[in-house]
Amino acid sequence: MEKITISSPARSTRRLATFLALGLMFVGGTLANAAAPADVNKLIEALRNPDEKARIQAIDALGHLGPAGKSAIKALAAELSDKSALVRGHAAHALELIGPGDPAAIEALIKASTDSDATVRRMAARALHKVHPAPKEVEEAL
C-alpha cells in the first residue's frame, strides 16, 4: 500500500475532489458553476493516479459536473478499461451524469455493457438508458 504524504499525488487528488464535492453542497446541487476548466483538467489528470481511491474520487467529482464536464468524456470512457471493476463502475455512472446524447459516451457504454464484471455491465446498461436518445435501440444493442 502506498504511503500518502502531504505532497503525494493521491492526497492532492483527494483534496481537489473533496473541495469540488463540498462545492456541490453550496451551489444548489451542481458543480458546473464551482469548477473552473483548470480544475476539470486537474481531475482528468488525476485519472492517471496509481491510487484507486484517488481515481474514483476524481471520477465522481467529474460526474457531479453533469453536462458541464463534457470535456472529460473521452478520459472517462478510457476508465471503462481500468483493471479495477470498481473504477469501471464509477466511470459508467459518471458518463451517465455527463453524457446525455453524446456519441462518444454512448459508444463507450455499449462496449462496457459486455464487461466481464456483472456490476459494471449493469451500471453501463443503466447509463445507456439515460444517455441514449432512443432507449429501444439500446435494448437491441445489448
Side-chain angles (χ1 to χ4, degrees):
M1 177 176 247
E2 173 189 359
K3 182 177 180 184
I4 298 177
T5 63
I6 290 176
S7 62
S8 73
R11 184 174 174 93
S12 174
T13 299
R14 289 181 186 154
R15 220 181 3 235
L16 177 61
T18 301
F19 170 75
L20 291 174
L22 287 172
L24 174 65
M25 293 186 292
F26 297 107
V27 194
T30 179
L31 285 175
N33 297 324
D39 293 332
V40 174
N41 290 335
K42 285 180 185 176
L43 288 170
I44 291 171
E45 289 173 26
L47 297 177
R48 293 188 295 248
N49 192 309
D51 182 71
E52 179 183 77
K53 289 179 184 176
R55 289 194 314 275
I56 289 171
Q57 287 179 330
I59 289 167
D60 291 347
L62 287 166
H64 286 299
L65 293 173
K70 281 204 179 270
S71 62
I73 287 177
K74 183 177 178 182
L76 288 168
E79 293 303 302
L80 292 171
S81 298
D82 192 272
K83 65 182 177 183
S84 165
L86 193 55
V87 169
R88 296 192 308 271
H90 279 263
H93 181 64
L95 287 170
E96 173 184 340
L97 299 173
I98 292 174
D102 186 275
I106 293 167
E107 181 180 336
L109 289 166
I110 287 173
K111 288 179 186 175
S113 69
T114 62
D115 193 276
S116 61
D117 184 86
T119 301
V120 174
R121 288 193 306 268
R122 280 193 301 274
M123 295 293 289
R126 176 183 163 193
L128 272 171
H129 280 282
K130 299 231 178 169
V131 303
H132 199 284
K136 291 277 186 202
E137 291 176 24
V138 169
E139 290 174 17
E140 292 169 10
L142 296 176

